[in-house]
Amino acid sequence: MAVVTEEPKAGFRLGMLIYDTRYRSITIQIIVLMLVMLGAAWLIDNLLRNLAALGRGIDFGFLWNRAGYDINQTLVEYTNDSTHARATLVGLLNTLLIAFLGCIAATVVGVIAGVLRLSNNWVIGRLMTVYVEIFRNIPLLLWILIIYTMFTEAFPAPNAFRGDTPAASMVMFDTVAFTNRYTAIPWLMFDRSLGWLPLGPLWLNLDLTAIVAALLGGFLINRAILRRATRIQEATGVRPTTWWQCLLALFGPIILVLLALGTHLDSPSLQGFNFTGGLQVSNSLVALWLALTLYTAAFIAEIVRAGINAISRGQSEAAFALGLRPGRTMSLIILPQALRVIIPPLISQYLNLTKNSSLAIAVGYMDLRGTLGGITLNQTGRGLEAMMLLMLIYLIISLLISSAMNVYNNRVKLKER
């Protein structure tokens, strides 16, 4: 009986890193990466040496110096005696606020405009085409300046609301006043406020935390109700009635929290030559938000239109054959499939809107660019440090937005084997 013996396997030799095709590409990539890293290290070392020779070493201690300037719109407590770090935090929160509001509004307007561009009504379709072509072909900065000029020139001064026969009047049941300096709107006030919780240099608003927790809890309960209804439908073929449960889950917790906090609306009122009470939103914020919304929505409309056109016409014809109305066909069949095409380019538009918010300095809205990259930079003369921090913060914000949207994209994309 013959005995079969295995040939000894050849051992690894250093020459295989060059001559063996299995390792050659990896070797080349490692060498290139090392060269790039060495080049970057040489450039950074050269920069640091030259700055040290000029007596301008990198130092971030300026962040703890007194800022000495005011900021007109703040989400946290701030005075001109605060530090530059606090001013940077205020600018960051203002940037996040305008980015959040802009992304939501641009998505709503863009989806509506994109769907209406495909309308069978010739007038509506052409109007949406005109809107898209006008807004996306004129620079964003011009739109910001135009809208801001319209607010400051078209609206009256606060003192125009005075007198028995005022030249201007409030709108929406005498609760909103548009002026050439700000827009006075009602705001929520709490008779039994929970106050603030100190978290190091920051303060946590417990009222807002309770409201957000109630909204999130209601959303999660609603999802659980819908999943349960789906399981029952798959098991029995009959879907239980859940509309009242969903309404109770969505609105019940937030109503209870608002009642517990003693919530009421504080409407603005004219006292002397100015409005008091409510919330005064600066025209720079409104103009920036409106310009970013309309400009970005024009691009989102084209993305939505392309995503809908990517779906086969047979999908709509099959839905109509089953008796579904056009509105239900769009919401239940076309848009869910189109999301797989819409989401990837939509991420880029969210990133563009966030970065375009740095144009806020043109209308005096103090965002991150206006604080850290503007007044703080000019006062301290620390241009390199300020720009490095500015770049790092925008990079982190963009990566967080991209990561969150990619998670959502992975959930809606077509699952393949």
Side-chain angles (χ1 to χ4, degrees):
M1 182 175 180
V3 178
V4 179
T5 59
E6 295 182 358
E7 296 183 0
K9 296 182 179 179
F12 178 78
R13 299 185 305 275
L14 291 178
M16 296 172 64
L17 295 175
I18 299 177
Y19 300 107
D20 194 325
T21 56
R22 294 176 298 174
Y23 305 105
R24 184 187 302 161
S25 60
I26 299 177
T27 303
I28 295 174
Q29 293 179 52
I30 293 175
I31 293 174
V32 172
L33 177 61
M34 293 176 63
L35 292 175
V36 171
M37 293 178 64
L38 287 174
W42 178 83
L43 290 174
I44 294 174
D45 180 71
N46 187 54
L47 173 64
L48 295 177
R49 289 177 182 273
N50 290 334
L51 288 175
L54 295 174
R56 296 287 303 275
I58 295 180
D59 181 14
F60 293 95
F62 70 94
L63 290 173
W64 313 114
N65 297 336
R66 179 178 179 272
Y69 60 91
D70 295 319
I71 299 178
N72 54 2
Q73 192 87 36
T74 63
L75 296 178
V76 295
E77 185 179 354
Y78 173 85
T79 65
N80 54 18
D81 290 325
S82 301
T83 63
H84 287 292
R86 188 73 173 182
T88 300
L89 174 62
V90 172
L92 172 60
L93 293 178
N94 286 345
T95 295
L96 295 177
L97 173 65
I98 197 66
F100 177 75
L101 296 177
C103 287
I104 292 178
T107 302
V108 174
V109 175
V111 171
I112 294 175
V115 172
L116 291 181
R117 280 206 67 183
L118 300 172
S119 173
N120 293 327
N121 188 306
W122 187 88
V123 175
I124 294 178
R126 298 292 80 75
L127 285 176
M128 291 300 102
T129 300
V130 170
Y131 156 69
V132 169
E133 296 301 330
I134 289 178
F135 270 89
R136 72 173 186 167
N137 288 297
I138 295 178
L140 174 59
L141 180 59
L142 294 182
W143 284 119
I144 295 174
L145 295 175
I146 289 172
I147 295 176
Y148 182 72
T149 303
M150 292 172 56
F151 272 83
T152 56
E153 297 295 335
F155 292 146
N159 58 13
F161 293 83
R162 296 187 62 195
D164 296 330
T165 56
S169 59
M170 302 175 68
V171 298
M172 297 181 65
F173 307 103
D174 291 335
T175 59
V176 178
F178 294 98
T179 74
N180 59 358
R181 287 188 290 168
Y182 53 79
T183 300
I185 62 175
W187 193 242
L188 294 178
M189 300 295 291
F190 306 104
D191 294 331
R192 295 179 290 274
S193 175
L194 299 177
W196 295 76
L197 177 65
L199 296 175
L202 302 178
W203 289 77
L204 179 64
N205 189 324
L206 296 180
D207 299 327
L208 179 60
T209 303
I211 292 174
V212 172
L215 291 174
L216 181 60
F219 174 75
L220 294 177
I221 295 173
N222 179 64
R223 288 192 59 184
I225 293 173
L226 294 178
R227 285 198 300 266
R228 177 178 175 274
T230 301
R231 288 196 301 268
I232 295 176
Q233 183 181 11
E234 292 174 350
T236 64
V238 178
R239 188 175 183 88
T241 302
T242 59
W243 64 267
W244 65 271
Q245 298 175 356
C246 293
L247 289 177
L248 185 61
L250 289 173
F251 297 102
I254 185 62
I255 291 176
L256 291 177
V257 169
L258 293 178
L259 290 176
L261 294 175
T263 308
H264 65 276
L265 277 178
D266 182 25
S267 299
S269 60
L270 189 64
Q271 301 291 335
F273 293 93
N274 222 331
F275 281 92
T276 60
L279 179 66
Q280 295 180 1
V281 183
S282 66
N283 283 342
S284 58
L285 170 59
V286 178
L288 179 65
W289 168 73
L290 189 58
L292 286 172
T293 295
L294 296 177
Y295 181 80
T296 308
F299 292 89
I300 294 178
E302 285 296 274
I303 294 172
V304 171
R305 184 176 69 91
I308 294 175
N309 284 334
I311 306 303
S312 172
R313 186 178 295 272
Q315 299 285 327
S316 301
E317 294 174 351
F320 296 152
L322 293 174
L324 289 179
R325 291 171 296 178
R328 302 285 288 177
T329 300
M330 179 62 66
S331 62
L332 296 178
I333 296 176
I334 304 302
L335 279 181
Q337 297 183 73
L339 281 177
R340 299 159 187 161
V341 181
I342 293 172
I343 295 299
L346 184 63
I347 299 175
S348 297
Q349 293 306 317
Y350 286 167
L351 296 178
N352 288 337
L353 187 147
T354 303
K355 291 179 288 187
N356 287 337
S357 66
S358 60
L359 295 172
I361 192 65
V363 290
Y365 180 69
M366 298 301 290
D367 68 336
L368 191 61
R369 168 65 180 85
T371 55
L372 177 61
I375 300 178
T376 294
L377 186 152
N378 293 329
Q379 284 188 359
T380 62
R382 292 289 178 176
L384 179 61
E385 293 88 339
M387 287 297 105
M388 289 173 60
L389 284 175
L390 204 60
M391 293 169 60
L392 179 62
I393 293 174
Y394 274 115
L395 176 62
I396 293 175
I397 294 174
S398 298
L399 290 178
L400 289 176
I401 294 174
S402 180
S403 300
M405 290 301 298
N406 280 323
V407 170
Y408 179 68
N409 183 42
N410 289 331
R411 294 189 60 182
V412 301
K413 74 177 182 180
L414 184 63
K415 303 298 189 295
E416 299 179 355
R417 293 184 178 179

